[in-house]
């Protein structure tokens, strides 16, 4: 479970995240929606222990990332919005490096070609990352998550740069990982992914969690008709 | 305008670029913090003082030559012509290397070439950028030379205006030649590898020249007994240097003013201006045929796959076998990144050349006295310390910064700050240790020093290697620069300069303390004193104690800084 209690982050005069109280159950795919600069990435960094909260605390799998950063990092996986990877490593070597960093067993390392094949990178796995497109680098960063299968997955705008086929593949993979018990938090402003795979949605605006619930619950709150999509609901709730 | 962008140069579009560059610079200045302003002013003052010092030295030098009968005047002109010649060749080389990045592989090119701008305009803008980046330093470097010579010769303001004015076409010709070489190379071999190949070749040639020139033993020419033909010498200094090159034309302008030769002055000034214009016309004409084709074909080139599982990988696996898994992963990753990047591994060639020349210098020291040899070995501790600091600045200091924007991979991994910093420390420590030990032990053997001095200096160098690398790693972690284009920007940053300042203090301290037992040792040898274990032990313990602090404190602060960096 992921839990935040009064989580707040202030950067000089900017209140990036304001008193965030959130609970995400195990196996849930939670969409964290909001416009640019709403505080999504800041929340995610605090959950990973990469940013220190100004007030409040977070628990990931019952552990505070500030107090037990190593244990939390072992349980979590991150794909940032711009996953800069080591340009002079091949895709295969990058995954090998990740496997070593996280002490994965030998049979997981043997799965590397298979994981790369899932993302259509099998023909590129012995090429250096510098020759990859942005989308391919995104896929490689996601491959590392699939290889590790961590208990908690944090994805920051994971579909930007992916082609439609890969986006669909990605959605299937996320659902599969959640079924195996992974808790997934997706920060995005692309509403389609939230609509198609997420169990619940949280809307953050100017640092505050303004609405939370399933799409049906949000639809009721927004007072929109049954046929209306998340886009209509989002606009109604954030206007 | 036709449907396809052509090669015409549109002056209005060029002005847009210049305006944008100007705006960018203004915004950077406006966004600078007080600390950045302070650092900027500090370094500007330092640079100004440095150039003022050089200028003062040259003023004395030219002043002295002015009073040397027969050859003084010719020698001064010879020195100026050699300076212009060296800078001309350096300018061609640096423009060639820079142009790969600015003209063919700049990040903004896909955007610029996708706009309806004429290709000729884009090329001209990029050429101006290249010429500016490569030339400004040359002009700055020549200020002390020209100004000091002008003062000695009591020149008026027109001399300075004309000389610096015609330096613009002089720089344009050199930059144009450099760009011309890169244009031909990119047309024939349109791939990113061409840039790497030119870089490697340049370093190899540079190292070879450095070693070769040192092996020529130029100091021999300064010995009067070696000058068999004085007339030959006079002929040499009075002859023009590379008369067909703009470097001599520049000298001609200076000489024309100094010796009141208006014909020569006008001739060379016009020659420089017309050559500058001709160079621009020539390369823009060539760009019409080659530029877009070369750029487009370079986009299609696919990088070569690296060799994996070769003897290099197997050796690394074997060597790292005993280390913990995450440490091994970091070390293997860093080694691969190092040996796959020509910008990085070619530094080892420079290191090799440095060791060879260093040892050659020691071997050629004209010392035939027992005491002098031992004193030289003692001062070698300081010199070796300086070389170790410079090499640590290159290898150890940027170790964390070269993670660049991929640092998020390590930050989100279950690695402590201590693991990250220390694993990088030990890996980069190794080449510095080998270098330091090699120059110390081999120097001592060549100097045939006695056992006491041998162990004193070797021990001091070993301790210094630990202290200076610890200081470099710690300061590199305290002042990381993750968003830089190349490693040189990390070294020349505020933290890098401060590291060199601190390491100079440390080297001075080591020499000052160890001079104490050395003096005692010489007194004992000359029968003027008694041996005191207390002196030796206290000096050694003082150096060791301070070195441990210099080693460990920056590393502790560095680890803490990385930890805080994760929490900021």
């Amino acid at each position: 479970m992921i839990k935040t209690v009064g989580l707040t982050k202030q950067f000089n005069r900017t209140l990036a995240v304001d008193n965030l109280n959130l609970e995400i159950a195990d196996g849930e795919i939670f969409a964290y929606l909001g416009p640019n600069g709403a505080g999504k990435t800041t929340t995610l960094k605090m959950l990973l222990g990469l940013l220190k909260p100004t007030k409040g605390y977070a628990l990931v799998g019952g552990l505070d990332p500030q107090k037990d950063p190593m244990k939390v990092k072992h349980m979590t996986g991150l794909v940032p919005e711009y996953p800069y990877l080591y340009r002079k490593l091949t895709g295969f070597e990058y995954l090998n490096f990740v496997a070593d960093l996280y002490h994965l067993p030998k049979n997981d390392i043997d799965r590397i070609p298979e994981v790369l094949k899932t993302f259509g990178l099998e023909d590129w796995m012995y090429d250096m990352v510098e020759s990859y497109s942005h989308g391919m680098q995104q896929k490689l960063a996601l491959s590392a998550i699939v290889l590790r299968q961590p208990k908690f997955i944090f994805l920051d705008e994971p579909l930007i740069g992916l082609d439609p086929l890969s986006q669909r593949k990605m959605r299937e993979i996320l659902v599969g990982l959640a079924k195996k018990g992974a808790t997934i938090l997706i920060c995005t402003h692309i509403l389609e992914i939230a609509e198609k795979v997420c169990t619940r949605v949280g809307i953050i605006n100017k640092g505050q969690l303004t609405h939370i619930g399933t799409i049906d619950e949000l639809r009721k709150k927004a007072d929109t008709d049954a046929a209306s999509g998340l886009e209509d609901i989002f606009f109604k709730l954030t206007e | 305008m036709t449907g396809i962008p052509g090669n015409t140069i549109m002056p209005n579009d060029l002005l847009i670029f210049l305006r944008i560059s100007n705006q960018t610079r203004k915004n950077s200045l406006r966004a600078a913090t007080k600390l950045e302003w302070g650092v900027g002013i500090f370094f500007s003052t330092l640079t100004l003082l440095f150039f003022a010092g050089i200028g003062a030295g040259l003023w004395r030098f030219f002043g002295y030559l002015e009073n040397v009968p027969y050859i003084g005047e010719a020698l001064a002109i010879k020195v100026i012509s050699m300076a212009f010649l060296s800078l001309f060749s350096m300018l061609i080389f640096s423009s060639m290397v820079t142009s790969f990045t600015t003209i063919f592989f700049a990040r903004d090119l896909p955007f610029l070439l996708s706009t309806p701008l004429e290709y000729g305009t884009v090329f001209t803008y990029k050429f101006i950028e290249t010429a500016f980046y490569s030339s400004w330093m040359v002009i700055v470097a020549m200020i002390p030379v020209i100004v000091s010579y002008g003062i000695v010769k009591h020149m008026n303001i027109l001399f300075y205006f004309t000389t610096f004015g015609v330096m613009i076409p002089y720089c344009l010709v050199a930059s144009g030649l450099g760009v011309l070489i890169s244009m031909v190379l990119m047309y024939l071999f349109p791939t990113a590898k061409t840039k790497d190949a030119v870089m490697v070749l340049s370093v190899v040639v540079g190292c070879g020249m450095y070693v070769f020139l040192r092996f020529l033993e130029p100091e021999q020419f300064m010995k009067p007994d070696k000058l068999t033909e004085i007339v030959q010498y006079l002929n040499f200094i009075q002859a023009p240097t590379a008369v067909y090159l703009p470097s001599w034309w520049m000298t001609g302008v200076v000489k024309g003013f100094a010796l009141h030769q208006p014909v020569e002055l006008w001739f060379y000034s016009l020659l420089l201006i017309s050559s500058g214009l001709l160079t621009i016309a020539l390369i823009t004409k060539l760009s019409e045929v080659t530029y877009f084709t070369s750029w487009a074909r370079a986009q299609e080139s696919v990088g070569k796959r690296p060799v994996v599982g070769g003897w290099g990988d197997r050796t690394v696996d074997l060597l790292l076998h005993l280390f913990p898994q995450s440490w091994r992963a970091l070390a293997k990753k860093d080694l691969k990144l190092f040996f796959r990047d020509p910008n990085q591994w070619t530094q080892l060639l420079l290191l090799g050349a440095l060791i060879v020349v260093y040892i050659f210098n020691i071997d050629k020291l004209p010392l035939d006295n027992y005491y002098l040899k031992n004193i030289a070995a003692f001062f070698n501790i300081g010199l070796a310390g300086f070389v170790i600091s410079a090499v640590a600045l290159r290898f150890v200091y940027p170790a964390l910064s070269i993670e660049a924007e991929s640092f998020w991979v390590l930050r989100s991994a279950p690695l402590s700050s201590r693991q990250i910093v220390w694993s990088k420390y030990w890996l980069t420590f190794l080449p510095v240790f080998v270098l330091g030990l090699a120059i110390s032990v081999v120097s001592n053997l060549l100097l045939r020093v006695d056992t006491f001095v041998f162990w004193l200096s070797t021990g001091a160098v070993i301790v210094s290697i630990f202290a200076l690398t610890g200081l470099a790693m710690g300061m590199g972690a305290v002042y990381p620069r993750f968003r830089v284009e190349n490693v040189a920007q990390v070294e020349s940053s505020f933290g890098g300069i401060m590291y060199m300042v601190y390491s100079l203090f440390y080297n001075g301290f080591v020499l000052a303390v160890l001079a104490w037992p050395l003096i005692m040792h010489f007194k004992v040898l000359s029968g003027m004193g008694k041996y005191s274990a207390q002196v030796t032990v206290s000096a050694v313990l003082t150096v060791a104690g301070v070195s441990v602090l210099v080693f460990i404190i920056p590393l502790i602060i560095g680890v803490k800084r990385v930890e805080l960096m994760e929490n900021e």
Side-chain angles (χ1 to χ4, degrees), chain B residues 373-535:
Chain B
K373 283 187 174 184
N374 282 288
I375 289 171
F378 171 72
F379 282 109
N380 192 37
I381 299 172
L383 196 60
F386 179 73
V387 173
I388 291 163
S389 310
V391 175
L393 180 70
R394 175 61 194 83
F395 285 97
V396 188
Y397 182 84
L400 197 70
S401 296
I402 55 171
E403 283 291 321
E405 287 168 308
S406 306
F407 194 46
W408 72 270
V409 178
L410 301 189
R411 286 177 77 187
S412 57
L415 289 168
S416 65
S417 314
R418 203 164 52 85
Q419 276 174 301
I420 296 173
V421 172
W422 279 91
S423 72
K424 284 187 170 288
Y425 171 74
W426 288 117
L427 197 68
T428 50
F429 163 82
L430 208 64
V432 185
F433 184 75
V434 171
L435 165 98
L437 206 60
I439 57 178
S440 170
V441 172
V442 177
S443 302
N444 286 340
L445 290 175
L446 286 172
L447 290 168
R448 295 200 185 92
V449 296
D450 66 31
T451 316
F452 179 83
V453 175
F454 182 92
W455 285 112
L456 189 75
S457 65
T458 308
V461 168
I462 291 174
V463 167
S464 300
I465 297 170
F466 278 96
L468 293 168
T469 49
L471 182 66
M473 188 68 223
M475 288 191 69
V478 172
Y479 299 103
R481 296 278 307 268
F482 292 115
R483 291 188 183 182
V484 287
E485 294 276 325
N486 57 58
V487 76
Q489 288 172 287
V490 181
E491 294 161 33
S492 57
S493 64
F494 173 72
I497 308 270
M498 288 319 288
Y499 164 71
M500 281 312 281
V501 172
Y502 291 150
S503 55
L504 281 178
F505 276 121
Y506 169 80
N507 287 326
F509 171 81
V510 171
L511 274 186
V513 175
L514 293 183
W516 199 22
L518 186 85
I519 292 167
M520 178 206 71
H521 178 66
F522 283 157
K523 278 185 179 170
V524 171
L525 288 177
S526 54
M528 288 161 67
K530 276 200 304 186
Y531 181 77
S532 156
Q534 200 188 345
V535 169

Side-chain angles (χ1 to χ4, degrees), chain A residues 9-57:
Chain A
K9 181 69 192 177
Q10 178 129 21
F11 294 109
N12 298 321
R13 278 176 296 175
T14 311
L15 192 59
V17 175
D18 185 10
N19 193 29
L20 178 71
N21 294 292
L22 182 69
E23 275 189 28
I24 305 170
D26 288 342
E28 210 178 335
I29 305 181
F30 187 86
Y32 201 40
L33 301 184
N36 296 330
K40 304 187 294 284
T41 306
T42 305
T43 308
L44 197 143
K45 284 184 177 173
M46 285 193 282
L47 290 173
L48 275 160
L50 301 178
L51 273 177
K52 191 176 181 177
T54 312
K55 264 197 290 188
Y57 64 91

Side-chain angles (χ1 to χ4, degrees), chain B residues 263-385:
Chain B
V263 177
E264 196 162 330
L265 169 64
W266 276 103
F267 174 71
Y268 286 123
S269 298
L270 291 174
L271 196 57
L272 277 164
I273 294 166
S274 54
S275 305
L277 293 172
L278 190 70
T279 309
I280 295 175
L282 193 74
I283 60 160
T284 42
K285 194 74 195 157
L286 186 70
S287 79
E288 287 176 14
V289 188
T290 65
Y291 181 48
F292 184 73
T293 315
S294 304
W295 179 80
R297 280 162 64 195
Q299 306 305 301
E300 295 163 18
S301 69
V302 178
K304 209 179 132 200
R305 284 184 169 179
V307 180
V308 179
W311 63 269
D313 283 353
R314 286 200 300 274
T315 313
V316 169
D317 282 342
L318 196 73
L319 289 173
L320 297 175
H321 188 66
L322 296 172
F323 292 92
Q325 194 178 12
S326 43
W327 196 93
R328 201 165 61 221
L330 278 175
K332 273 165 73 175
K333 185 264 297 173
D334 281 343
L335 284 171
K336 276 181 179 157
L337 298 184
F338 182 84
F339 285 106
R340 284 179 189 169
D341 186 354
N343 285 309
Q344 303 261 2
W345 65 259
T346 47
Q347 300 295 317
L348 289 179
L349 299 177
L350 292 173
L351 203 65
L354 186 77
I355 295 177
V356 170
V357 171
Y358 190 99
I359 290 169
F360 184 83
N361 284 340
I362 295 284
D363 190 41
K364 291 290 167 189
L365 278 177
L367 307 171
D368 43 13
N369 176 306
Y370 171 82
Y371 287 101
L372 284 178
K373 283 187 174 184
N374 282 288
I375 289 171
F378 171 72
F379 282 109
N380 192 37
I381 299 172
L383 196 60

Side-chain angles (χ1 to χ4, degrees), chain B residues 96-112:
Chain B
M96 182 182 70
V97 174
T98 312
S99 65
F100 283 107
T101 316
T102 51
I103 298 182
F104 294 103
F105 296 102
R107 284 183 186 177
D108 58 352
L109 278 174
F111 165 70
L112 293 178

Side-chain angles (χ1 to χ4, degrees), chain B residues 193-258:
Chain B
K193 291 282 165 202
T194 305
K195 183 175 99 180
D196 292 345
V198 167
M199 220 274 293
V200 173
L201 201 68
S202 314
V203 174
V204 171
V205 171
C207 288
M209 289 289 285
Y210 175 54
V211 174
F212 174 72
L213 286 176
R214 185 61 197 92
F215 280 17
L216 280 180
E217 298 182 55
E219 67 275 12
Q220 297 292 336
F221 296 109
M222 298 303 286
K223 293 182 179 171
D225 56 327
K226 299 281 174 182
L227 293 172
T228 48
E229 278 291 350
I230 195 78
V231 180
Q232 216 174 7
Y233 181 69
L234 283 171
N235 282 343
F236 167 72
I237 60 164
Q238 278 169 348
T241 315
V243 72
Y244 296 112
L245 290 181
S247 50
W248 180 251
W249 308 342
M250 271 307 304
T251 315
V253 174
V254 174
K255 202 176 154 198
F257 260 111

Side-chain angles (χ1 to χ4, degrees), chain B residues 547-559:
Chain B
S547 299
V548 168
L549 295 178
V550 173
F551 166 69
I552 203 75
I553 291 175
L555 278 167
I556 292 172
I557 298 172
V559 168

Side-chain angles (χ1 to χ4, degrees), chain A residues 96-126:
Chain A
N96 235 314
F97 171 60
V98 170
D100 280 341
L101 282 186
Y102 288 86
H103 303 163
L104 296 191
K106 171 90 173 64
N107 53 340
D108 273 344
I109 297 173
D110 293 340
R111 281 178 47 236
I112 290 176
E114 178 198 320
V115 171
L116 286 167
K117 198 175 173 186
T118 314
F119 285 93
L121 292 174
E122 68 275 24
D123 291 336
W124 299 85
M125 67 177 158
Y126 298 119

